[in-house]
Amino acid sequence: MSEIKITTEFIKLDALLKFAGLADTGGEAKLLIQQGQVLVNGEVCTMRGKKIRTGDCVSVAGKEEVTVV
């Protein structure tokens, strides 16, 4: 598990996936989210614009996991 530091109140889920390197492009991030492969705090999330805040944990396909700090 790795940590991603943000300096704003929140970051949108699709932007976080790109920023953390979990998706190479915005299109790939969109697909991962639509296919239900992204978990936010252990629950499937299909909202690209979901606001991710400090303390949230995001994982893709059950493999890679990041925590926002």
Side-chain angles (χ1 to χ4, degrees):
M1 177 169 57
S2 59
E3 294 183 342
I4 298 294
K5 182 172 177 64
I6 61 171
T7 57
T8 57
E9 181 183 346
F10 65 87
I11 184 170
K12 291 186 178 178
L13 180 57
D14 58 349
L16 175 70
L17 293 180
K18 290 188 299 183
F19 182 65
L22 300 176
D24 294 328
T25 65
E28 183 182 352
K30 180 181 175 180
L31 267 177
L32 289 169
I33 295 166
Q34 286 178 339
Q35 293 172 350
Q37 295 187 43
V38 178
L39 300 178
V40 176
N41 297 325
E43 296 182 14
V44 173
C45 182
T46 56
M47 298 183 310
R48 282 181 23 212
K50 169 103 173 128
K51 294 177 181 176
I52 305 300
R53 302 175 190 278
T54 300
D56 286 340
C57 183
V58 176
S59 63
V60 176
K63 297 180 251 179
E64 303 175 65
E65 188 173 300
V66 296
T67 302
V68 178
V69 293

